[in-house]
Amino acid sequence: MSDLSAFPITRKWPPRHPDRLQLYSLTTPNGVKISIALEELGLPYEAHRVAFDRNEQMSPEFLSLNPNNKIPAMIDPNGPGGEPLALWESGAILMYLASKTGRLLPDGEAARWETTQWLMFQMGGIGPMFGQVGFFHKFAGKDFEDKRPRDRYVAEAARLLAVLDARLAGRAWVMGERYTIADIAIFPWVRNLVGFYGAGDLVGFDRFGEVRRVLDAFVARPAVQRGLAIPPAPAG
């Protein structure tokens, strides 16, 4: 049995199955990237809910694993060389899981770098820009009288959707026929933009038929359906 006692986070979230991957997360777009990937890969893991409403991401135990106080974070008890490995940043975790299993990446070095390129497109563009749209449309920023900040991010979100729409024309997924970590990174954010944020009309989402087509295919995957609900909300 793996011994994870060297990680202070395990004192706040004790593992019931220390031999499994330990995931610390929430059902946000960044969080579900990892639960979806784990479900797609069929890797055994244990999910721990980090409650932002209780500021658990600021607890000493969580900060001991991720000093950037963001989810998701993960411990692999069987990392490189058989030693435990702690990771944070969703893109890094996706790349690690794909490398560990040899799955969710296309064949060939060039195609793998191209997949990484689209993963970075999500991390540097789609995630931050869509998140700003959410702030100015759904959360505190919606009360700002000056709508220029909102409109700036709306325009950039629409531009990014147009880039993605053009990429998907004639392709089943971002990388063609092969479903990859690029899709797992991008489409939870697209779903959040038009669903939870309710910003579909604001960004003119109906113009992006290819994005809608692939979003529907993504959400229909059984592993995606499972991953979107992990970690579960507390009972009651």
Side-chain angles (χ1 to χ4, degrees):
M1 180 176 291
S2 299
D3 181 8
L4 300 180
S5 61
F7 296 93
I9 196 169
T10 62
R11 295 197 286 270
K12 188 171 181 65
W13 291 278
R16 291 173 297 166
H17 306 283
D19 292 331
R20 301 180 184 179
L21 287 157
Q22 302 294 308
L23 174 64
Y24 307 90
S25 192
L26 273 178
T27 53
T28 65
N30 283 335
V32 298
K33 290 179 197 176
I34 309 308
S35 51
I36 288 170
L38 289 167
E39 290 292 325
E40 294 279 8
L41 293 167
L43 291 173
Y45 71 101
E46 186 174 353
H48 305 277
R49 186 174 186 272
V50 182
F52 279 21
D53 57 344
R54 298 201 298 269
N55 281 328
E56 288 184 336
Q57 77 278 16
M58 300 301 296
S59 66
E61 293 88 353
F62 188 81
L63 291 172
S64 70
L65 184 62
N66 183 0
N68 197 34
N69 63 273
K70 305 290 184 183
I71 60 93
M74 185 189 77
I75 301 172
D76 182 358
N78 187 29
E83 295 298 320
L85 174 68
L87 281 177
W88 47 277
E89 281 294 338
S90 59
I93 297 173
L94 284 176
M95 293 174 71
Y96 172 74
L97 293 174
S99 177
K100 178 183 175 75
T101 60
R103 295 170 58 194
L104 296 177
L105 284 172
D107 298 325
E109 186 176 3
R112 288 175 180 236
W113 279 113
E114 191 177 354
T115 306
T116 304
Q117 166 185 274
W118 285 99
L119 174 64
M120 298 304 164
F121 172 75
Q122 182 277 304
M123 294 174 63
I126 281 180
M129 296 301 105
F130 287 15
Q132 292 289 355
V133 172
F135 173 77
F136 284 104
H137 183 61
K138 184 178 178 68
F139 298 111
K142 71 180 184 299
D143 298 323
F144 293 3
E145 291 185 12
D146 186 349
K147 298 305 179 187
R148 286 175 296 179
R150 183 203 69 176
D151 293 346
R152 176 191 178 190
Y153 292 116
V154 168
E156 180 62 5
R159 188 191 70 80
L160 292 166
L161 286 168
V163 172
L164 181 60
D165 202 64
R167 171 67 181 184
L168 293 171
R171 291 180 169 89
W173 302 102
V174 170
M175 289 301 298
E177 293 303 311
R178 190 76 171 265
Y179 173 79
T180 70
I181 57 174
D183 304 292
I184 293 173
I186 289 169
F187 284 100
W189 274 104
V190 177
R191 175 179 177 269
N192 214 59
L193 179 73
V194 300
F196 181 65
Y197 291 161
D201 289 343
L202 195 63
V203 300
F205 189 69
D206 289 344
R207 294 177 288 159
F208 306 113
E210 300 291 342
V211 178
R212 166 60 75 184
R213 169 183 61 83
V214 181
L215 173 62
D216 290 345
F218 177 76
V219 173
R221 294 177 69 89
V224 171
Q225 287 289 315
R226 295 192 299 271
L228 287 170
I230 296 170

